[in-house]
Amino acid sequence: MRAVVSRVTEASVTVDGEVVGALSRPGLLVLLGVSDDDDETDVATMVRKISDLRILREERSAAEVGAPVLVVSQFTLMGSTAKGRRPSWSRAARGEVAEPVVDAVVHGLRERGLEVATGVFGAMMQVHSVNDGPFTLLVETPGSG
């Protein structure tokens, strides 16, 4: 599993001209890619990393300050550009496998008390964000590379 985690002052996701998810105040935008072999351990690791990484102002975590999180599924994060000019998607989980994993990450974040907004799985989405810093990290679980 891979996530691009950005500290943002604002973020939203739009589908067909309608905002379907947005942050109510500064927090984290998480673009989340699921690989074909991710399991419950990867979900738990990703939930812990997203909620506990001390990447907000004054080295605080989302869990510490109750910062909201916007999670957007993005299978292209699992793409490989190692060969040729066309990315390979062979490591990306199929939709029917990936969607429950993304849902589990969202559920895990909510269980930790975080306010979580989401995009729409599998939809063509427009993501708007204002990066704070800028501050962006690539977070990976074991075996994602």
Side-chain angles (χ1 to χ4, degrees):
M1 191 176 311
R2 285 186 183 137
V4 173
V5 180
S6 295
R7 183 176 72 195
V8 296
T9 57
E10 60 184 71
S12 63
V13 61
T14 303
V15 175
D16 295 329
E18 179 183 341
V19 174
V20 296
L23 298 183
S24 60
R25 60 193 179 284
L28 300 176
L29 170 62
V30 177
L31 305 176
L32 185 63
V34 178
S35 73
D36 52 6
D37 59 354
D38 287 332
D39 59 19
E40 297 84 17
T41 301
D42 296 292
V43 169
T45 298
M46 189 59 70
V47 166
R48 181 178 47 78
K49 289 285 191 179
I50 293 167
S51 64
D52 294 348
L53 277 172
R54 301 171 73 78
I55 60 176
L56 296 174
R57 299 269 176 187
E58 300 174 7
E59 293 188 20
R60 312 263 321 259
S61 71
E64 286 178 287
V65 299
V69 180
L70 175 58
V71 177
V72 179
S73 62
Q74 188 170 347
F75 83 94
T76 60
L77 287 176
M78 298 313 299
S80 171
T81 58
K83 294 182 182 179
R85 299 182 305 156
R86 196 172 288 157
S88 167
W89 312 115
S90 63
R91 290 290 322 274
R94 294 179 322 281
E96 63 271 12
V97 173
E99 187 172 14
V101 175
V102 172
D103 290 345
V105 170
V106 169
H107 179 74
L109 292 169
R110 287 179 177 150
E111 280 189 327
R112 286 179 161 241
L114 294 173
E115 172 190 330
V116 182
T118 65
V120 176
F121 188 89
M124 180 61 75
M125 297 177 272
Q126 290 75 49
V127 179
H128 166 81
S129 67
V130 177
N131 199 306
D132 183 21
F135 197 107
T136 300
L137 293 173
L138 177 62
V139 178
E140 298 180 293
T141 59
S144 61

